[in-house]
Amino acid sequence: MPEDRRRAKRIPLDSLYFVKISFEGDDIITCLVLDISIGGLMMGLPPGMESATPPIGAKGIIRDASPEISEVLEPDLEVTIMWAKEGLCGISFDEPQPQVVQSFDHDDFE
């Protein structure tokens, strides 16, 4: 298994949260957020998109999100695809989002 290079603690989410994101001028897609940190998130891609995942290094912008996610992310946040595999995708925020920890890091996730 590859070495885990994450610098920030990933926080698993206990509810359904979504982001709407566009990559390099493509259409906006809606993805399920599976975990989040100050530096990025892991998301599930929409059905049928597994084979059309944007390439590693692709730039994107989060255009909209579930209210709880929108409250902790800067508007039109720029992101980069770090990895993609089997319908999942990891994105890195171009700027850290420290307010994520205050809203989502709870002891019940331990």
Side-chain angles (χ1 to χ4, degrees):
M1 183 166 199
E3 177 186 343
D4 189 350
R5 297 177 292 175
R6 296 177 185 142
R7 294 185 186 134
K9 175 184 172 189
R10 291 287 183 184
I11 303 166
L13 299 177
D14 61 349
S15 296
L16 295 177
Y17 299 110
F18 296 90
V19 291
K20 292 184 179 186
I21 189 167
S22 63
F23 289 101
E24 298 182 345
D26 288 341
D27 292 336
I28 294 174
I29 58 171
T30 301
C31 300
L32 176 64
V33 179
L34 301 169
D35 71 26
I36 194 166
S37 75
I38 65 171
L41 58 84
M42 178 172 61
M43 60 189 189
L45 297 169
M49 193 170 169
E50 295 86 357
S51 61
T53 304
I56 294 171
K59 296 290 192 178
I61 297 176
I62 295 178
R63 301 290 185 184
D64 194 13
S66 299
E68 298 83 357
I69 301 285
S70 291
E71 289 176 9
V72 298
L73 299 182
E74 296 295 322
D76 295 323
L77 181 62
E78 295 182 3
V79 299
T80 303
I81 294 215
M82 302 305 289
W83 62 269
K85 183 177 182 181
E86 300 174 0
L88 300 175
C89 185
I91 62 171
S92 172
F93 304 141
D94 287 4
E95 295 291 327
Q97 302 295 298
Q99 47 287 31
V100 165
V101 175
Q102 297 165 351
S103 293
F104 289 106
D105 193 8
H106 305 288
D107 291 337
D108 56 342
F109 290 130
E110 299 297 322

